[in-house]
Amino acid sequence: MTEGYDAVPGRERSRLRSYLEAVVAARPAPVHTTVAFNAVYFGYELGGDGYGGSPLCLDDFPVITFGECAPVLPVGAMVCVATGSDPLYAEIVYREGAHPEVGALGDVPAWVSGAPAGAEGPGRPGADAEPRRRELLVPDLHAFGPALSLSPAQLHRLRTRGRWINEDGHVVVDVCYPSPQAARRDDLTAYADHLLTTAREQLLSPFVPVSLASLVGGTHDDDLRAGLLGLLDTVRGVLDSSAVLRTWGHYAMTRTSLADCWRDTGPLGGDDLRSFVAAVERAATPARRRRGLIAPSTVYTAVGPRLRGFPGAAERLRGAGYAAAVCRANVALADVVQGDSDHGLFGNGSRITLDDAFEGGGVWRSHHPGDAEAPGDPLVPAGRGWNSTLHALPEPETEVELEPVDAPLADDALGTGELLRSDAQEIVWRAPLRLAHLIGGWFPLHPFVAEELCRPHGAHPTLRLELDHAGETLDEKEAVQNVAAELGEESGRLTGVVWPGDFFPGLMLELRRLRGDTVIRLATTRLKERVQAGDRETGHCYDPRVLTREDVPGSSRHGDSAVGLGPRQLVMRTVRRCGLLTLDGHALMDRSVLPSAVYGRRPARSQAAALDSAVAGLLAERLLEPALGSRDAWGQPHFPPRDGQRTIPLIGYRPARPRVIRPWDGGEPGGEGLRDAQFVAGHLRRLRPGCLPSDVQRAAFREHCRRLGKADGWELPYGYTFVTEHTRGR
């Protein structure tokens, strides 16, 4: 599951889906992807104890205080709410922006909608290196079961005083972000950062059912991050694929609860939802005028505050009920926009679009006349409110959108190969497979071989090629082939080669030819364990430089073209194809020249903005990394930066650090091998009352802690034993 949703076998997806559907049905608030991850990873019991039975260390939870500054606390964070007396343990299940300029009935100033954290006013983004933003956090105060929850009377006193939590049972804090980039991270990336820093001890605790360190085979940060993001992707994919759940962003709720809400005639039931949708639709529609022109009108409405204006809604919006009401209202409005409008354009001439998904539970933009604006996806937050307050930049002379250029593959010295042995019996050499070889069905011969073959057989002999793909079974037509040779005075190549389907650019090939023979034997070399190299998983030796350069988006054995790629793929392709290449497969590129490298010249502003946005996203996801280089007097970039030269920002591609992939009986996902054996990582198991773990299992647990990088002295928690890693058969 650490490889993401697509890599999980169908049977395992089904089991996880059944559990998460039960979790969503049991929790009082819509279940965010990160909360669903917590349930799976830390062990959430559906019988009412929640995390109360899990061996989490409550003292490790960060403490938050109502109305004060707090560190970044994404949804899913487990916290201790300061109360001045008994600690209040909770899981953050929902968060939204709580900007003080948002009106009590949901009216939002244009500049607030889509504004970055730390913005000071219209068109003023702020210059603070550590921006702050006021946020409303909804804690689930019963997530750790009745034993760690306050009584209803105690909670009522806390809400009434309004000192530790507000009257709705929520916590409002000023969140201080370490950087503007951190404030722009998506929910899953922010939660991964939280677990790998603030909650690292919690993440790597050997008390959890199966530690992430065991799943990825180590405690290296890159491995942990990749595995964690893979698990989050698996959980999100499972939630999205459920037929009984609906999602709004990362929040999942049951379709049954939505249907019950529409049938409810009380506060925030079906009637109020219909009124809310109609109010947003008509918000910008001008009143009838007898004469004169109608000026354009734009209204921004925040969902959360707007719901508070409905009679009798106060009780429904307390605790986790607020999160449920906001998500249902957004789903209702989104369904109407998708079903009753043309890309948000309604029959009354108004265009309704989601403008900010975070502030106030979601800010919707109503604009009239809507047909004067270019259509787009109405459910993708565009931030038009904030953008409308920025000073307009001068338009370039031409805004003609360009097609990305297809720079030809360089026929350079990359991966030329090496001679391994040349004696009286045979010639052995090694070289990586190149993309051009895959596309054209050919492979170069070593000059010694070409020269020796040309003398007795002429310029165009027919040779026998025997392929051995280590550990794999080849088709008969691939294993033994009759190929033509094109021989020159100093070079030669094999043509008409049918390459096996799983051969890829960078795969190392070892070739040998006996003296005087017309047979050439080609073999791959198997690694001791499978590794992840960039986007490709392989169990065979490869050249990391060729893999980085040529195994890029838009390239396959059928062709090599950038046409049709999206901005993210164009960025990855260009950095890997054009960047400064290191011996271990890293590629570094001057960020300022990226647009010109993609399109051959400076593209339209919209295309450049799309590339810049893609770079920001890839950097946030750690698929690219920032670096500093320098530029000399001739304009040549250098890395690392040289003294006396102007520094320039670089973006770098770094292949994923090779790590152990633990196959189940060596089978591929969905294959027969999965039905025979399954690897089970070491984990804790609850004992029956009165039972104690053996000394052997105590020692095994201490050894397990040492492998995870923990200090010595860890003991089994009371009531648990340790199950060592093993292979389970069926």
Side-chain angles (χ1 to χ4, degrees):
M1 293 186 180
T2 58
E3 296 302 306
Y5 176 77
D6 292 335
V8 180
R11 184 175 66 255
E12 298 301 318
R13 291 182 189 175
S14 179
R15 291 175 55 194
L16 180 58
R17 188 179 299 113
S18 297
Y19 171 72
L20 290 181
E21 288 172 351
V23 169
V24 174
R27 299 295 295 263
V31 174
H32 193 278
T33 300
T34 58
V35 175
F37 166 85
N38 286 347
V40 176
Y41 188 80
F42 296 111
Y44 184 90
E45 294 186 4
L46 298 173
D49 287 336
Y51 299 112
S54 66
L56 288 167
C57 183
L58 305 180
D59 293 336
D60 291 339
F61 293 177
V63 178
I64 57 174
T65 303
F66 181 81
E68 295 187 3
C69 187
V72 181
L73 292 172
V75 179
M78 297 182 180
V79 300
C80 175
V81 181
T83 64
S85 56
D86 295 330
L88 191 57
Y89 299 107
E91 181 184 31
I92 303 300
V93 295
Y94 177 85
R95 63 190 276 263
E96 68 178 33
H99 201 285
E101 294 291 329
V102 176
L105 295 179
D107 49 309
V108 181
W111 72 270
V112 173
S113 182
E120 300 171 350
R124 293 185 290 127
D128 196 341
E130 297 182 354
R132 296 189 179 191
R133 178 169 58 193
R134 179 160 296 181
E135 297 181 3
L136 180 145
L137 309 178
V138 176
D140 184 351
L141 303 176
H142 303 286
F144 292 87
L148 294 174
S149 300
L150 300 183
S151 67
Q154 290 173 310
L155 288 177
H156 177 72
R157 284 197 297 270
L158 290 177
R159 288 198 300 264
T160 302
R161 293 174 183 174
R163 182 178 178 184
W164 311 109
I165 56 178
N166 66 11
E167 61 182 0
D168 295 323
H170 306 153
V171 181
V172 178
V173 292
D174 289 322
V175 176
C176 181
Y177 288 90
S179 67
Q181 293 77 17
R184 293 195 294 267
R185 288 173 185 155
D186 64 273
D187 286 358
L188 301 190
T189 302
Y191 189 58
D193 290 342
H194 172 78
L195 288 179
L196 291 171
T197 53
T198 304
R200 189 180 183 89
E201 289 295 322
Q202 177 180 318
L203 176 70
L204 299 182
S205 171
F207 297 150
V208 300
V210 180
S211 173
L212 177 63
S214 294
L215 295 176
V216 302
T219 57
H220 191 281
D221 276 355
D222 290 344
D223 293 345
L224 294 175
R225 180 176 296 277
L228 183 55
L229 292 175
L231 289 173
L232 290 168
D233 180 72
T234 296
V235 171
R236 181 178 186 180
V238 168
L239 292 175
D240 289 342
S241 66
S242 173
V244 302
L245 302 179
R246 278 289 304 273
T247 57
W248 172 250
H250 284 290
Y251 295 94
M253 62 210 87
T254 63
R255 294 180 181 271
T256 302
S257 67
L258 287 172
D260 292 341
C261 178
W262 278 105
R263 289 192 294 266
D264 187 2
T265 58
L268 301 184
D271 293 337
D272 284 351
L273 286 182
R274 295 183 187 92
S275 299
F276 166 73
V277 172
V280 174
E281 182 182 343
R282 298 193 303 265
T285 304
R288 293 182 177 272
R289 300 182 61 175
R290 297 181 60 182
R291 59 183 178 274
L293 297 176
I294 298 176
S297 173
T298 305
V299 176
Y300 296 87
T301 305
V303 175
R306 180 66 182 84
L307 294 180
R308 298 182 188 278
F310 285 96
E315 189 63 29
R316 297 287 183 96
L317 296 177
R318 286 180 179 169
Y322 177 82
V326 168
C327 290
R328 291 168 186 164
N330 277 306
V331 168
L333 188 49
D335 286 347
V336 171
V337 169
Q338 288 182 312
D340 299 344
S341 73
D342 180 15
H343 293 86
L345 183 62
F346 285 80
N348 63 1
S350 293
R351 185 179 296 278
I352 312 300
T353 57
L354 179 66
D355 202 58
D356 187 332
F358 182 73
E359 189 61 44
V363 176
W364 290 81
R365 178 179 184 268
S366 308
H367 179 78
H368 189 281
D371 55 2
E373 296 182 331
D377 190 338
L379 302 186
V380 175
R384 290 190 175 186
W386 168 255
N387 291 333
S388 68
T389 67
L390 300 177
H391 296 295
L393 298 175
E395 293 288 333
E397 293 183 2
T398 175
E399 278 295 310
V400 177
E401 293 198 347
L402 307 175
E403 289 291 337
V405 296
D406 287 326
L409 282 172
D411 186 15
D412 52 19
L414 179 64
T416 54
E418 59 179 324
L419 182 66
L420 300 180
R421 184 169 65 254
S422 177
D423 53 29
Q425 284 77 36
E426 63 179 354
I427 297 178
V428 183
W429 75 101
R430 179 173 57 196
L433 186 65
R434 303 290 297 271
L435 179 60
H437 305 158
L438 280 171
I439 295 175
W442 62 278
F443 196 78
L445 291 170
H446 193 276
F448 291 179
V449 176
E451 181 182 359
E452 188 172 309
L453 283 171
C454 188
R455 286 196 298 265
H457 301 288
H460 300 284
T462 298
L463 305 178
R464 178 184 174 94
L465 180 65
E466 297 180 355
L467 274 66
D468 177 19
H469 193 18
E472 307 291 340
T473 302
L474 297 179
D475 185 86
E476 292 182 0
K477 296 181 180 179
E478 297 171 341
V480 179
Q481 306 178 35
N482 291 322
V483 298
E486 297 178 355
L487 307 176
E489 294 182 359
E490 297 181 355
S491 64
R493 65 178 187 171
L494 303 176
T495 62
V497 180
V498 179
W499 296 112
D502 58 349
F503 275 31
F504 58 90
L507 180 66
M508 290 301 299
L509 305 178
E510 184 176 300
L511 299 94
R512 62 181 64 232
R513 172 185 175 268
L514 295 176
R515 299 285 185 177
D517 200 353
T518 57
V519 177
I520 293 180
R521 294 173 176 83
L522 182 152
T524 60
T525 304
R526 197 169 186 178
L527 295 171
K528 293 182 179 180
E529 54 195 20
R530 298 184 69 83
V531 298
Q532 187 78 24
D535 298 328
R536 183 175 294 279
E537 179 189 323
T538 181
H540 296 84
C541 292
Y542 62 94
D543 185 323
R545 298 174 301 164
V546 177
L547 190 71
T548 292
R549 265 297 187 251
E550 301 186 354
D551 195 26
V552 297
S555 299
S556 70
R557 64 179 58 219
H558 306 296
D560 178 38
S561 176
V563 176
L565 298 181
R568 288 169 61 95
Q569 293 175 307
L570 286 173
V571 171
M572 291 297 287
R573 175 186 174 91
T574 305
V575 172
R576 293 174 62 174
R577 182 62 60 82
C578 303
L580 174 67
L581 194 62
T582 65
L583 293 176
D584 56 356
H586 289 56
L588 292 159
M589 186 174 188
D590 181 355
R591 182 169 181 172
S592 66
V593 303
L594 175 67
S596 299
V598 172
Y599 293 103
R601 58 188 176 94
R602 188 68 186 175
R605 188 178 63 182
S606 59
Q607 291 178 305
L611 292 178
D612 191 60
S613 176
V615 169
L618 292 168
L619 289 172
E621 297 171 28
R622 304 292 180 90
L623 296 176
L624 292 177
E625 57 186 15
L628 279 180
S630 64
R631 190 188 303 281
D632 60 27
W634 295 271
Q636 183 69 24
H638 298 279
F639 178 85
R642 297 181 178 180
D643 294 337
Q645 296 182 1
R646 181 171 58 90
T647 58
I648 57 174
L650 304 176
I651 47 178
Y653 166 78
R654 179 173 56 83
R657 182 173 179 266
R659 62 190 182 86
V660 177
I661 304 297
R662 296 182 180 269
W664 296 346
D665 197 38
E668 296 296 330
E672 294 297 324
L674 295 177
R675 300 190 179 97
D676 298 329
Q678 176 179 342
F679 175 81
V680 180
H683 61 279
L684 294 180
R685 185 177 66 192
R686 190 189 296 273
L687 293 171
R688 285 179 292 183
C691 295
L692 296 174
S694 67
D695 292 338
V696 173
Q697 296 312 112
R698 294 180 189 273
F701 181 68
R702 287 193 288 271
E703 177 61 26
H704 176 68
C705 292
R706 280 192 289 271
R707 287 200 303 269
L708 295 182
K710 294 294 183 182
D712 194 12
W714 285 77
E715 298 294 337
L716 280 167
Y718 179 77
Y720 287 85
T721 187
F722 180 68
V723 180
T724 55
E725 61 182 39
H726 61 280
T727 300
R728 181 172 61 199
R730 293 182 60 87

